[in-house]
Amino acid sequence: MRKLLILTIAIVLPSLLCITPLDAKKPPRKKAYVHTVVEIPAVEPQVIAVQTANSSLVMQVDGKGVLRMCHYGALVQDPSQFLSYSDGYICDNDPGPLAYPSAGGMFTWRPALEVRYADGSCNTELYFTGCEVSGRKTVVHLKDYVTALTVDLVYEAFADEDVIVSHTEIYNGSKQAVTLTGFASSYMVLNAREYLLTHFHGWWAGEMQVDREMLGHDTKVLESRRGVQNTQINNPSFLVSLNTREWSETSGEVVAGALAWSGNWQIALEQPQTGLLNISAGMHPASSAYPLKAGESFITPDMIYTWSGNGAGQASRNLHRYARRHRLYGGSKVNPTLLNSWEGAYFSFKTKTLTDMIDDAADMGLEMFVLDDGWFGSDYPRNGDAAGLGDWEPNLKKIPEGIDYVASYAHSKGLKFGIWIEPEMANPESNLAKQHPEWLVQSPGRENYTRRNQWILDLSNPAVQDFVFGVFDNTMKLSPSIDYIKWDCNRLVMNFGSSYLGEEQERFYIDYIQGLYKVMRRIRERYPDVIVQCCSAGGARVDYGALQWFDEIWASDNSDAICRNYIQYGTSLIYPACIMGAHVSTVPNHQTGNITPLKFRFDVACSGRLGMELQPKTLSPDDRALADRCIRSYKSWRDLVFEGDLYRLASPYDGTHYALMYVSEDKSRAVVFAYCLKYITGLTASPVFKLDGLDPARRYRVTEQNVDASCWWGDGQVFSGEFLAAGGFNPRLNRPLTSAVFYLEAER
Ligand code: DGJ
C-alpha cells in the first residue's frame, strides 16, 4: 500500500505541477502521425486447380484475396470441394499455407519472394487479382497494393506426363526502382506424416551420387554457388517420398522436382511445426540482389514437378517422358555412337593419329569420330591444359592439312565428325587473354585465380556473347563436314566481377547464364541440326535449363564402368537415358586404376548413348571382335534406350547388383541390363530380377546379347510377361564384374 502511494505521487505530482524535466525540451508541434492502411479489395472466394491425368495441384483464394495451396497429389476430379478447405492452422499469427509467400505480412517462414523498396522497406503482401486459363497454361495474378508490385504465377500442366511446370513473373509497377533479394521460381506445399528426401551430391568424376535422409523440423537447403559448373557437387533436383522411411521404385507417393537453370540455384525444403513441407526452388539470391527499374519485369526459370502414386520409378518415367516430348532440344532423337579422341590420344596427336582412329572407328561400326581438346592455338599451342584456350585457330603444326581434311576423311569413311570447343574460357597464355583483359571475370585489386590453368570470360557482356557465338560459328566454318560440337566448361567462378556491369555487380551470376542462353539461342537459329554435347569437366552442367539447347550431356569424366553404375543410376532418377553419353574406355581405367572386363564396360555404356574413348589399336583381335558385336547389337535395339520407359530393377546402392530395363511404349519390346558389382555370399548366388513394365498377358522371346553361352537357363525361349515379372528371370550373374544384356520381343 505504501509502495503504491509513492508510485502514484511520482507519476501524478509532476504533471499536476506542470514540472518539465530539465533535459526534455518540448519538440516543435508536429502534425499527428496517422497510420493509414491501404484497402485490399474483397474478391470472390474461388478454387484454382492445375490438373494432369493423375495429379492435381489445388489452390484456394479466400474472400480477402489470400492465395493458399491446399493440395498437390492424387487427382481430385472435382477440386471445387476445396473451396472451404482449411488446414486448421490459420490464425492471427499464421496465414496458412500460402501459394507464393512473400517476406512481409504474417508470414515468418522462408519466403519465395523478397523485395527491398526504394524507401528501404522490405514488406510485400500479395493478394489475388485474377486468374486466366488458356490451353495447358494457368496464370494467377497477385498484387501488392502498397507498392504496385505484381507477381504472376504461371503453371503449365502436361497432362499425359503428369508434370506441372511453373515459373514466376515479377513486375515492378511502382514509380521507383526496387531490388529483388529473393525470387523463387515456384513454391510448393506438401502435406504428409513424414518425408524421405533423395538428392544428389558429387565431385569431379563422381557426379550424381545419391543421398537419402528423413527431413526434420528445420530447413534443408540444396544449393550451388559456383556460378557455372552448377551440378558438379549437387544437382538442382530431388525426390521426396511421402509417408515413408523407405525408398520404393514401385509404391507410395513421390514428388520429384527439377529446376531448369544452369547458374547458382537454391532449393529449400522447410518443415515448420505444422508438419507441412514447404519447398521453394529457384535461382540463388546470394550475391544476386537484382535491380528492377520501374516498369521492368523479372522472369524466373522453370521448376518442373511431377507426382507419382506408384513410387519413384513412375516419378522418373514422368520426368523422362516430359523431357523427351517437351523439354530436350533434341527430344528422343537417336544420337550417333562415336569414338572420342580424348582418352586415346589426349593432347598428343597428328593427322595420322586421327585418320587411323577414324579408320578403326569405321571398322568397328561406330558412326562418328570426335576430335577432342588440343587441335587449336598457334602462338600458344594447346599441347597441354596451360595454353591456347581462347585462340581458336587450328594448330597447323599438328594438323597441317587442316580440320576440313580430317572431317572430310571421316565423312569419306561413312562417319560423322565432331569437334571440341570450350568457348567460355581463356588460358592466361593466350592471345585472347592478353588482348581482352576486360572480358575476363575478375574483381578489381583481387587475385584472378586460375583453375585448370584457365580464366573465365564474362558472358554478361554482350561483346563476349558475340565472341562466344563467333567461336562456335567460326569452328563450324572450318569444314562443311562438322556434325557435332562438344562444348566444354572446365572451371567455376571465383572472385566474381564484371567490368561491363559497372556498379550493378550483383547482376553478374544471373546475367552470365542469361548471356549463355542468348548465345545458345543464336546458335540454334543458325545451326538447328548440329548435335551439341554439354560437357563441363564431365557432368558439371546437367540441368533442364541447359538441356533446352544441348542434345546430350557427358555424364562424367569417370569412365570406370564400376563407378558409372552409380553415376548413371543417379542420373536416371531425374534425366532420361537418351541424353547420357557413356563411353567404353581402356583398362586400367585412367581415373580409378580399376580393371574391368571389356564386356562389362560395353554392357554399362550400352545403357546410355554408347561411345568409345580409347586408342583402338590397343585392343586385341578378340576384344575388337567383341566390340564389333556389342556395337552391332546396340544399334539394333538402341531406340529402346532413347525412347523407351525406364524401369529400375535393382539399385547399385542396395546390395550386390544393379539392373534396369527399357520398355517400348507399346510394350512389344524391351532390353534388360544386369550387372554384378560385388560378392556377398548367398545374396550374390542367384539374383532374381522381377521384370517390370511388360504386358503380363503377352509372351516375350528373351535373348541374351553378345555372348555364345548365356548366363540364363531360359535364353532364347518364350515367357509370359507375368512369369518374368513374378520372379522367373534369374540369370546367373554371381561373380563381380559379370554382366548381361537381354533383348525381349513379344510374339505377334
Ligand atoms: C574435360 C572433359 O570432360 C573431357 O571429356 C575432355 O574433353 C577434357 N575436358 C579436355 O580438356
Side-chain angles (χ1 to χ4, degrees):
M1 188 62 196
R2 225 174 118 212
K3 263 191 193 157
L4 188 67
L5 191 67
I6 293 170
L7 197 67
T8 314
I9 293 170
I11 295 171
V12 175
L13 199 62
S15 56
L16 284 179
L17 299 176
C18 296
I19 298 172
T20 310
L22 282 177
D23 57 345
K25 271 202 195 143
K26 258 197 171 167
R29 279 180 84 84
K30 243 194 193 175
K31 264 216 233 121
Y33 173 69
V34 184
H35 180 72
T36 47
V37 175
V38 172
E39 203 176 315
I40 312 299
V43 297
E44 191 67 32
Q46 54 195 278
V47 165
I48 300 166
V50 183
Q51 307 278 70
T52 68
N54 299 295
S55 72
S56 294
L57 172 70
V58 185
M59 288 168 282
Q60 170 209 64
V61 184
D62 73 10
K64 291 183 187 145
V66 177
L67 180 75
R68 298 194 177 90
M69 193 169 285
C70 315
H71 170 77
Y72 181 48
L75 180 71
V76 179
Q77 302 276 5
D78 175 10
S80 69
Q81 298 169 96
F82 279 101
L83 187 61
S84 315
Y85 177 84
S86 166
D87 73 346
Y89 292 106
I90 302 166
C91 63
D92 64 359
N93 64 17
D94 191 335
L98 298 181
Y100 192 77
S102 50
M106 278 194 268
F107 191 80
T108 51
W109 304 107
R110 179 182 277 259
L113 176 74
E114 291 186 77
V115 187
R116 195 169 57 232
Y117 296 95
D119 64 359
S121 69
C122 298
N123 291 314
T124 305
E125 290 179 85
L126 297 173
Y127 292 95
F128 178 83
T129 59
C131 173
E132 287 158 73
V133 181
S134 74
R136 60 162 74 114
K137 200 185 260 188
T138 301
V139 184
V140 184
H141 304 293
L142 302 172
K143 179 172 182 175
D144 179 70
Y145 281 93
V146 175
T147 62
L149 185 101
T150 66
V151 169
D152 283 352
L153 307 180
V154 184
Y155 299 91
E156 276 191 277
F158 294 85
D160 295 346
E161 297 82 14
D162 283 322
V163 161
I164 294 175
V165 177
S166 65
H167 76 265
T168 299
E169 301 184 6
I170 303 160
Y171 172 71
N172 180 7
S174 76
K175 295 203 166 48
Q176 285 168 306
V178 302
T179 307
L180 305 180
T181 53
F183 26 68
S185 289
S186 101
Y187 194 80
M188 180 60 82
V189 183
L190 303 178
N191 192 351
R193 207 175 56 251
E194 50 190 359
Y195 307 93
L196 172 66
L197 172 69
T198 300
H199 60 104
F200 306 93
H201 70 99
W203 196 240
W204 174 76
E207 300 85 341
M208 292 303 275
Q209 305 296 302
V210 170
D211 246 351
R212 288 213 171 96
E213 61 195 90
M214 294 304 295
L215 289 173
H217 285 87
D218 52 14
T219 306
K220 172 82 192 174
V221 180
L222 313 173
E223 63 178 357
S224 171
R225 297 166 177 253
R226 314 186 122 212
V228 294
Q229 294 205 307
N230 58 320
T231 68
Q232 190 166 63
I233 56 167
N234 41 21
N235 194 274
S237 59
F238 64 90
L239 301 96
V240 181
S241 311
L242 307 183
N243 300 312
T244 182
R245 296 181 159 251
E246 297 289 328
W247 171 262
S248 170
E249 286 287 335
T250 51
S251 66
E253 284 189 72
V254 175
V255 170
L259 181 73
W261 179 242
S262 310
N264 287 348
W265 57 268
Q266 175 178 271
I267 298 175
L269 302 105
E270 176 189 57
Q271 195 185 167
Q273 273 51 37
T274 54
L276 300 174
L277 183 65
N278 303 330
I279 308 173
S280 81
M283 296 161 162
H284 207 309
S287 303
S288 289
Y290 207 84
L292 206 58
K293 296 196 185 79
E296 277 184 354
S297 293
F298 182 85
I299 300 180
T300 72
D302 284 342
M303 180 67 191
I304 301 160
Y305 269 110
T306 188
W307 174 86
S308 154
N310 302 314
Q314 186 64 55
S316 299
R317 285 189 291 282
N318 292 348
L319 289 178
H320 298 171
R321 277 195 174 192
Y322 158 76
R324 290 194 302 260
R325 292 175 184 171
H326 306 286
R327 170 72 50 176
L328 304 179
Y329 181 78
S332 56
K333 181 170 59 97
V334 170
N335 290 321
T337 55
L338 60 88
L339 174 68
N340 177 296
S341 66
W342 182 240
E343 287 198 25
Y346 292 108
F347 294 104
S348 312
F349 54 81
K350 46 190 195 255
T351 310
K352 173 99 170 55
T353 324
L354 305 179
T355 51
D356 281 359
M357 283 179 126
I358 289 170
D359 287 340
D360 287 329
D363 207 42
M364 289 188 289
L366 294 169
E367 297 158 311
M368 180 158 69
F369 176 72
V370 179
L371 172 54
D372 210 282
D373 199 351
W375 58 268
F376 52 90
S378 43
D379 292 344
Y380 301 95
R382 180 78 172 166
N383 293 326
D385 63 19
L389 268 186
D391 300 350
W392 294 100
E393 70 285 356
N395 179 348
L396 296 177
K397 287 206 178 95
K398 269 184 179 168
I399 313 175
E401 301 83 351
I403 296 298
D404 183 46
Y405 172 81
V406 183
S408 310
Y409 188 82
H411 274 211
S412 74
K413 298 287 167 177
L415 298 189
K416 292 184 187 301
F417 179 79
I419 192 163
W420 180 96
I421 56 174
E422 192 180 1
E424 296 160 79
M425 305 288 164
N427 285 125
E429 291 303 299
S430 68
N431 285 323
L432 178 73
K434 293 181 199 305
Q435 283 160 13
H436 284 290
E438 77 286 8
W439 283 0
L440 300 172
V441 173
Q442 55 190 336
S443 180
R446 298 188 192 282
E447 177 87 35
N448 191 359
Y449 301 109
T450 55
R451 176 100 167 198
R452 205 193 188 213
N453 301 308
Q454 66 199 53
W455 286 326
I456 183 163
L457 301 179
D458 173 14
L459 259 180
S460 71
N461 181 343
V464 176
Q465 292 165 21
D466 287 345
F467 171 79
V468 171
F469 172 78
V471 172
F472 193 104
D473 198 31
N474 293 333
T475 304
M476 288 301 298
K477 287 179 186 147
L478 292 174
S479 166
S481 303
I482 294 179
D483 306 289
Y484 175 103
I485 296 277
K486 174 174 175 179
W487 179 305
D488 210 341
C489 168
N490 281 298
R491 69 158 290 171
L492 64 164
V493 175
M494 300 175 208
N495 260 347
F496 81 93
S498 157
S499 60
Y500 171 76
L501 289 174
E503 287 181 358
E504 293 194 325
Q505 292 296 304
E506 283 185 289
R507 297 178 73 115
F508 171 77
Y509 284 118
I510 292 174
D511 286 9
Y512 182 106
I513 299 301
Q514 285 176 344
L516 173 69
Y517 290 174
K518 278 184 200 157
V519 171
M520 290 311 298
R521 173 165 288 121
R522 284 169 71 183
I523 287 172
R524 284 322 195 173
E525 275 161 18
R526 186 164 298 182
Y527 300 104
D529 298 326
V530 68
I531 306 165
V532 190
Q533 185 189 64
C534 183
C535 170
S536 180
R541 191 182 259 170
V542 180
D543 67 82
Y544 277 123
L547 285 166
Q548 285 184 121
W549 308 108
F550 293 89
D551 292 89
E552 61 169 34
I553 54 137
W554 178 223
S556 178
D557 270 355
N558 189 339
S559 58
D560 177 334
I562 300 172
C563 302
R564 273 285 177 146
N565 277 276
Y566 297 87
I567 294 166
Q568 296 183 182
Y569 166 83
T571 305
S572 85
L573 295 183
I574 304 292
Y575 302 99
C578 60
I579 58 141
M580 191 174 64
H583 295 179
V584 172
S585 61
T586 194
V587 287
N589 180 270
H590 290 182
Q591 293 81 39
T592 65
N594 281 335
I595 297 178
T596 53
L598 185 62
K599 167 81 165 54
F600 187 80
R601 282 176 270 155
F602 262 104
D603 288 353
V604 171
C606 281
S607 69
R609 192 275 292 132
L610 172 66
M612 293 180 78
E613 191 163 328
L614 44 65
Q615 172 50 267
K617 301 241 173 294
T618 59
L619 294 174
S620 68
D622 283 354
D623 284 352
R624 271 292 269 264
L626 179 63
D628 287 3
R629 191 173 183 179
C630 292
I631 293 164
R632 203 172 333 113
S633 73
Y634 173 78
K635 288 198 282 195
S636 71
W637 41 252
R638 67 174 153 187
D639 59 302
L640 295 167
V641 178
F642 281 78
E643 294 163 14
D645 281 324
L646 167 70
Y647 293 82
R648 288 177 294 261
L649 309 175
S651 159
Y653 287 91
D654 286 349
T656 53
H657 294 81
Y658 175 37
L660 65 155
M661 63 191 286
Y662 300 103
V663 184
S664 64
E665 212 174 319
D666 67 359
K667 298 189 181 297
S668 66
R669 295 160 64 236
V671 57
V672 179
F673 301 85
Y675 316 101
C676 179
L677 299 174
K678 49 187 167 208
Y679 183 82
I680 309 177
T681 183
L683 271 180
T684 322
S686 64
V688 174
F689 303 109
K690 297 185 173 179
L691 301 194
D692 205 351
L694 300 175
D695 181 342
R698 287 172 92 169
R699 295 177 66 76
Y700 297 86
R701 185 171 302 282
V702 185
T703 326
E704 185 169 358
Q705 305 290 287
N706 310 326
V707 285
D708 296 325
S710 175
C711 64
W712 188 42
W713 56 268
D715 182 46
Q717 297 178 40
V718 174
F719 300 96
S720 68
E722 181 193 48
F723 169 85
L724 295 166
F729 182 68
N730 61 344
R732 206 157 165 71
L733 286 173
N734 54 0
R735 292 281 166 93
L737 307 184
T738 53
S739 58
V741 179
F742 288 89
Y743 174 68
L744 281 71
E745 190 157 340
E747 291 200 314
R748 282 162 205 270

